[in-house]
Amino acid sequence: MNEKAYKTMSFAGAAGIATGIVTMAVAIAAGVIMIVSGARLLKDRKGLTF
């Protein structure tokens, strides 16, 4: 019975680590995209006239 609990716990730990890695990768990619688009907006701001 204990063996089943240990297998379940190890699966949950591995899933948590995998989820954390994926979340970090998505967050880094989103941050880079936001920085690039923000820099592009600031650069193109000079051409606007009201």
Side-chain angles (χ1 to χ4, degrees), residues 11 19 26 30 34 39:
F11 177 74
T19 303
V26 169
M34 292 171 87

Side-chain angles (χ1 to χ4, degrees), residues 21-32:
I21 291 171
V22 170
T23 302
M24 280 180 26
V26 169
I28 290 170
V32 168

Side-chain angles (χ1 to χ4, degrees), residues 27-43:
I28 290 170
V32 168
I33 291 170
M34 292 171 87
I35 290 170
V36 169
S37 64
R40 187 175 297 149
L41 284 171
L42 287 175
K43 187 181 89 172

Side-chain angles (χ1 to χ4, degrees), residues 1-9:
M1 190 66 165
N2 281 339
E3 187 174 330
K4 184 177 180 182
Y6 284 118
K7 284 183 181 180
T8 302
M9 288 171 55

